[in-house]
Amino acid sequence: MARVWDAVNDPMIGSLPDRFTLGKSGDKFKPWVRVFIIPLAVSGLLCFANVSGFPDLFKHIWVSAVYIFYGMAYTGTSMPYGAMASVITDDPIERTKLSRARAFGGMGVGLLYIPIVNLVIWDKQGNPNSSGYFLMAIVSGLASIVFYSLMLKLSKERIHQDKKYAKDAKTSYSFFRVVKEVFTNRAMVGLMVATIGALFGASQSMSSYVYKEFYHDPRAMAWGAIIGLPAMLLSFFLVPKLAKKLGSRKLILFASIYTIVLYTVLYVVVIPNVYAFMMIKGIQDW
């Protein structure tokens, strides 16, 4: 049910900055991020609240409702944040730099934070630590408030809309027209298919299952994340140069073939040693 609602929720919330401008600043995206900061932190806490003593029916209702709440709050912050580059500058090169900076920040989280999470939520015997989950939810919620607040304080929207509401413009907003245009835009369709494929591939890697159930060492995920990060850091600087030399299309094709081959090895070949698996997985990240 939550996944079905996501299909409605994402375009609905994503359209809000295009339809309405909050406040008097004239900013398009920052006010919407500000609205959803606290709900995002609160929803994360609710997701990991201890409801083990509740009746089964209420637990199912709680999990469904809270997860939907979290999904809406996450969409409310991530969508306007992801689109902010378009109103910070109209220079394509500068927008590319902003996109790379965002990716670099994500790598920083992967390097400094994710390994800590894995060490806190699992004990040395590989059993889940329930109090560790809620502790990390608190830390993550507070961190999200701090860093989103810094982003709002330190960034500036330089490109403003002339109209407060999209309906005042010559072409009024229509949700169904937008949906129709999405599926008739070949570039957009290709991007959606690629994104779905990437998400499906990421989910099918099942790293958490492999480390926990096959190797019986879930804390090893922390080291697995660290091994792949140097490659991600190198690619941050190398990929733009390779794209310029080879062309984006060829680079994407080569990277896709490389990934398919190594994922096939990981899927077909049984690797008994967790550290050997980690190394191959790290090579795949390269």
Side-chain angles (χ1 to χ4, degrees), residues 109-159:
V109 172
L111 176 63
L112 301 174
Y113 187 62
I114 299 302
I116 296 175
V117 172
N118 287 314
L119 293 175
V120 173
I121 65 176
W122 303 101
D123 62 22
K124 294 182 179 180
Q125 288 71 42
N127 299 313
N129 178 12
S130 58
S131 61
Y133 280 88
F134 192 69
L135 173 62
M136 296 315 299
I138 295 173
V139 174
S140 300
L142 292 174
S144 70
I145 294 174
V146 170
F147 285 109
Y148 268 123
S149 298
L150 286 173
M151 184 274 293
L152 293 173
K153 180 69 175 179
L154 300 175
S155 61
K156 180 179 180 181
E157 294 191 16
R158 297 175 176 83
I159 303 171

Side-chain angles (χ1 to χ4, degrees), residues 49-60 62:
N50 185 1
V51 295
S52 57
F54 294 172
D56 287 344
L57 176 60
F58 188 81
K59 281 192 287 189
H60 283 84
W62 175 275

Side-chain angles (χ1 to χ4, degrees), residues 65 99 144 172 206 256 267:
S99 178
S144 70
S172 59
M206 297 191 297
S256 299
Y267 184 78

